[in-house]
Amino acid sequence: MADQVSATGAATGTGVTTSAFAEPGMRSAVDELVTHIQRIYLADDFPWVVGYSGGKDSTATLQVVWMALESLDSDQRHKPVYVVTNDTLVENPVVVHWVDRSHELMRQSAAEHDLPIKAHRLTPVVEETFWVNLIGRGYPAPNRRFRWCTERMKIHPTSRFIREVVDHAGQVIIVLGARKAESAARSARIAKFDAKAVRENLSPHNDLPGALVYKPIVDWTNDDVWMFLMQYPNPWGYDNKDLLTMYRSATADEECPLVIDTTTPSCGNSRFGCWTCTVVEKDKSMSAMIHNDAEREWMLPLLEIRNELAEAGRETRDFRRLNGRVSLFNGDTVPGPYKQDVRAHWLRRVLEVQTRVREHGPEEVRSID
């Protein structure tokens, strides 16, 4: 059964219904978690990398980490905490603005309170960006069988950053907002990795040597997340009620997590993510944003080109593969890259959409790189 959005905006139906706040109460549970985070932070000299997408789970995770650091004496804040966000350069522009503004406020607040928190925006190298591959190389729009985008645009930028930190510090602790309540499959993956724990609540990363993974809110339900966000003010100065409003406008009950390996799903069926995403059947979040807010009609051209990409058929693609060879499957040719004239068409459409968005979009979106 698909997840539903509750009165608080939280998702239910994943099979995990026991609140982490049930027995001790929310205040006691949060205080206990903050103390636990402090203990892990003080246990060694390894820097932290906190995944932040701007969504509810990563916001709650960063918020409890922030609270833990604020409660320490200044001389105890002995190692950096890097807040990293994946920007594929084709993210939902409303979310891009939200994250950019968040990073700006984080830097200001961290400086004011002498916190070792540094915000970073990670992007793919030019040759691994979406349009270079789709228009330049002719790669077909991503689908479930050929999801070429996730590794190039999400995993590689994050892995490069983490490896640089490991090279400098010897080891790193990656802090993620993964939760068992997200889905049965996610719960099973978490249990599998937790079984390999080498220290208190720290598990070795599957693909990144020298990296340990810590999941502070792993046992929280979706309602726990929203309850926490509504009851505890955002420490870097953003209003969590605005975050709830953004979720409601998009009917989005999932976010795109920080993707650091191929076992992490890049997005859910209803998600904030790349506006070009054709892996899902429909972009429900962007459609809902446009439908629910007349001031966001400027996003309609983005949705139109995304739908055109999703509907492109075999006739748009060459019968030869990228290497010039012809491949057969069950007696039929396997389609290759987009034809030259089709790629020229996509380039024209992208430039047209770019012009329309810059003409009709709000100032904060027109200024996005």
Side-chain angles (χ1 to χ4, degrees):
M1 182 176 67
D3 290 353
Q4 302 296 318
V5 178
S6 72
T8 61
T12 59
T14 56
V16 179
T17 58
T18 303
S19 170
F21 305 155
E23 188 172 330
M26 181 175 67
R27 296 287 173 181
S28 295
V30 172
D31 289 347
E32 184 179 336
L33 178 58
V34 167
T35 300
H36 184 267
I37 292 171
Q38 291 174 333
R39 186 167 67 249
I40 293 180
Y41 177 83
L42 295 171
D44 54 54
D45 294 324
F46 305 135
W48 283 18
V49 173
V50 182
Y52 175 75
S53 69
K56 67 183 190 306
D57 295 338
S58 60
T59 297
T61 300
L62 178 57
Q63 195 161 312
V64 291
V65 169
W66 197 294
M67 291 165 60
L69 292 176
E70 275 189 322
S71 300
L72 292 174
D73 293 334
S74 58
D75 60 344
Q76 292 179 299
R77 303 166 190 160
H78 65 294
K79 61 186 184 183
V81 174
Y82 302 107
V83 177
V84 300
T85 301
N86 277 126
D87 183 354
T88 61
L89 303 179
V90 283
E91 300 289 326
N92 182 311
V94 172
V95 180
V96 171
H97 172 65
W98 178 275
V99 170
D100 284 351
R101 178 60 178 153
S102 295
H103 279 198
E104 181 182 343
L105 292 173
M106 287 175 198
R107 295 186 185 104
Q108 294 174 3
S109 182
E112 291 172 2
H113 296 90
D114 192 27
L115 297 175
I117 296 175
K118 303 176 182 180
H120 292 265
R121 172 173 166 258
L122 309 181
T123 59
V125 295
V126 171
E127 57 268 28
E128 294 192 331
T129 54
F130 185 84
W131 297 116
V132 165
N133 281 285
L134 188 135
I135 295 175
R137 295 190 172 99
Y139 280 24
N143 55 58
R144 294 186 183 278
R145 289 177 295 178
F146 186 37
R147 191 183 296 194
W148 52 264
C149 50
T150 301
E151 187 170 8
R152 290 172 172 80
M153 294 157 52
K154 287 181 174 285
I155 296 176
H156 287 175
T158 307
S159 297
R160 276 193 295 270
F161 183 88
I162 292 173
R163 287 192 178 101
E164 288 175 4
V165 176
V166 171
D167 288 345
H168 179 74
Q171 198 162 29
V172 66
I173 294 175
I174 305 171
V175 185
L176 301 177
R179 295 180 300 106
K180 296 175 184 176
E182 291 177 88
S183 69
R186 175 64 65 88
S187 180
R189 281 194 295 271
I190 289 173
K192 178 181 177 182
F193 286 113
D194 285 352
K196 303 176 183 178
V198 294
R199 283 175 47 193
E200 181 185 19
N201 296 106
L202 299 179
S203 305
H205 188 271
N206 205 37
D207 299 317
L208 294 170
L212 298 174
V213 178
Y214 175 40
K215 301 176 287 293
I217 65 169
V218 66
D219 293 318
W220 288 18
T221 66
N222 292 348
D223 281 326
D224 289 342
V225 173
W226 283 118
M227 188 183 305
F228 168 76
L229 292 175
M230 294 303 103
Q231 294 294 320
Y232 284 81
N234 185 300
W236 55 91
Y238 233 145
D239 192 339
N240 288 336
K241 292 180 180 177
D242 291 340
L243 178 62
L244 176 58
T245 298
M246 183 167 67
Y247 264 78
R248 282 175 168 165
S249 72
T251 62
D253 36 271
E254 291 188 55
E255 64 179 281
C256 283
L258 179 74
V259 179
I260 53 178
D261 57 47
T262 55
T263 68
T264 305
S266 59
C267 295
N269 290 328
S270 175
R271 86 272 179 258
F272 297 135
C274 304
W275 65 265
T276 56
C277 184
T278 49
V279 175
V280 293
E281 185 178 346
K282 294 181 180 180
D283 189 332
K284 297 178 182 179
S285 62
M286 181 174 282
S287 298
M289 281 184 172
I290 297 170
H291 177 76
N292 295 333
D293 189 343
E295 294 184 359
R296 288 179 176 161
E297 288 187 358
W298 58 268
M299 297 172 68
L300 189 57
L302 302 179
L303 186 61
E304 289 173 348
I305 196 171
R306 179 265 168 208
N307 291 341
E308 289 176 24
L309 283 169
E311 295 167 4
R314 291 175 62 98
E315 72 281 357
T316 64
R317 296 168 61 181
D318 200 320
F319 68 94
R320 293 161 297 189
R321 307 303 294 273
L322 277 170
N323 58 13
R325 298 177 179 176
V326 176
S327 298
L328 298 177
F329 182 74
N330 288 338
D332 199 2
T333 58
V334 177
Y338 288 126
K339 298 174 182 177
Q340 191 71 26
D341 61 329
V342 173
R343 290 152 66 183
H345 165 75
W346 291 130
L347 177 58
R348 284 192 296 270
R349 289 288 291 119
V350 170
L351 294 175
E352 291 169 359
V353 167
Q354 177 179 274
T355 300
R356 289 172 63 185
V357 169
R358 286 180 174 175
E359 289 177 350
H360 303 289
E363 177 59 35
E364 63 266 20
V365 170
R366 294 200 297 269
S367 62
I368 293 174
D369 293 339

